[in-house]
Amino acid sequence: MIFSAERLPEAAREVLKKWEVVEEDASRLGEAEVIMAWRVVPEMIASAPKLKAIQTFSAGVDHLPFTAIPKGVRIFSNAGAYSVPVAEHAWALLLHLAKGVNVMNKQKAVNYPRQLHGKTLLVLGAGGIGQEIARIGKCFGMRTQGISRHPRQSPVFDEVYGIQSLDDLLSHADFIAIALPLNKESRNLLDARRLSLLKDDCVMVNVGRGDVVDQQAIYDLLKRKREFRYGTDVWWHEPQGEGAHLPFTHL
């Protein structure tokens, strides 16, 4: 039996019609061989002794309680499902910051519009979301560079590099988009040292995970560099907690 913690759309029910699917009724977890959910908690796993697989609705799996998951249980993410909408959102943030639409009249000295054409866009994470961000960047006539653990050339990137090239690329990028999953390699990848390499007027957006960027370091950078701009739709502690409303117009 497949247990879904959420109501499924009709298209999903059609795909799964060969199997028994129970939606939202947690009292049936004891029969479940597969759990589908946005958020899986240890109590759900403990209630499912027949569990063989977990399917997350999210693209990432860093939120899963791995210590509570028995050996042999297979884990599947929804990677690739949100490439277009997340990339579009990244560009909404980037264009907002680049053009200073909402604050330009109040603070012209800080929020002058930035030109995109001919500028360098560095994308951290060259997966589905990163490639879609780069594809849109090419439409603006930008030079697109990607960072990937397994660099492979792609028609939407002018160049793709491994992590060993990150420091050099950060120092030359005009715009940066973060589309990385969270793991032990990416946590605080952009620490104080690496953030100090950025151009003073760099525009950076994060649609990956909040903890890829060091929280105190980005706060200090925003205080120090008034022309630097940062846009994020991911936070260090979600839902947003203390520090969610920072006193910066360039955030």
Side-chain angles (χ1 to χ4, degrees):
M1 184 265 279
I2 298 173
F3 170 78
S4 174
E6 313 284 341
R7 294 286 295 175
L8 295 172
E10 197 57 44
R13 293 194 187 105
E14 179 64 23
V15 171
L16 299 172
K17 64 183 180 181
K18 294 182 180 179
W19 293 272
E20 180 186 6
V21 179
V22 173
E23 300 175 47
E24 298 182 312
D25 184 1
S27 67
R28 301 282 304 277
L29 271 168
E31 306 167 51
E33 294 181 278
V34 178
I35 291 176
M36 303 173 65
W38 280 104
R39 185 172 182 81
V40 178
V41 296
E43 292 76 12
M44 293 172 67
I45 297 169
S47 299
K50 298 180 180 180
L51 187 63
K52 295 180 180 178
I54 295 171
Q55 170 70 64
T56 67
F57 294 135
S58 60
V61 296
D62 52 279
H63 61 284
L64 289 177
F66 287 101
T67 56
I69 299 174
K71 290 183 178 180
V73 173
R74 302 183 69 183
I75 297 172
F76 301 91
S77 75
N78 211 7
Y82 312 108
S83 297
V84 170
V86 174
E88 289 178 352
H89 186 64
W91 272 100
L93 291 171
L94 193 149
L95 286 169
H96 175 80
L97 292 168
K99 301 303 180 182
V101 176
N102 70 324
V103 289
M104 186 167 57
N105 291 333
K106 296 179 182 179
Q107 298 193 8
K108 289 184 178 179
V110 174
N111 294 287
Y112 62 87
R114 310 279 172 81
Q115 179 174 304
L116 304 179
H117 184 84
K119 301 298 184 180
T120 297
L121 169 66
L122 174 62
V123 183
L124 276 59
I129 294 171
Q131 290 189 50
E132 185 63 16
I133 292 172
R135 185 192 67 78
I136 297 172
K138 297 294 284 184
C139 296
F140 283 103
M142 304 182 80
R143 178 187 181 190
T144 57
Q145 298 178 322
I147 285 285
S148 174
R149 284 191 297 177
H150 307 289
R152 292 187 295 270
Q153 294 308 307
S154 165
V156 299
F157 286 107
D158 292 301
E159 303 105 14
V160 182
Y161 298 91
I163 193 67
Q164 69 276 5
S165 300
L166 179 59
D167 287 8
D168 182 59
L169 295 174
L170 287 172
S171 65
H172 292 94
D174 301 298
F175 298 87
I176 298 171
I178 303 167
L180 289 169
L182 185 64
N183 51 48
K184 62 182 180 180
E185 288 84 15
S186 65
R187 185 180 296 275
N188 288 331
L189 180 68
L190 295 184
D191 55 12
R193 183 189 67 80
R194 284 199 166 111
L195 289 174
S196 71
L197 302 174
L198 303 184
K199 290 183 176 182
D200 289 348
D201 61 350
C202 179
V203 176
M204 184 166 73
V205 299
N206 187 359
V207 292
R209 289 291 185 268
D211 284 321
V212 172
V213 180
D214 182 276
Q215 183 176 11
Q216 186 61 49
I218 194 69
Y219 183 87
D220 292 342
L221 185 65
L222 286 163
K223 287 195 297 183
R224 188 171 68 253
K225 293 186 177 182
R226 299 296 298 174
E227 293 186 357
F228 170 75
R229 299 173 192 175
Y230 182 58
T232 181
D233 79 336
V234 288
W235 214 251
W236 294 271
H237 302 285
E238 296 185 2
Q240 292 181 3
E242 184 179 353
H245 303 289
L246 300 179
F248 304 116
T249 58
H250 48 309
L251 170 67

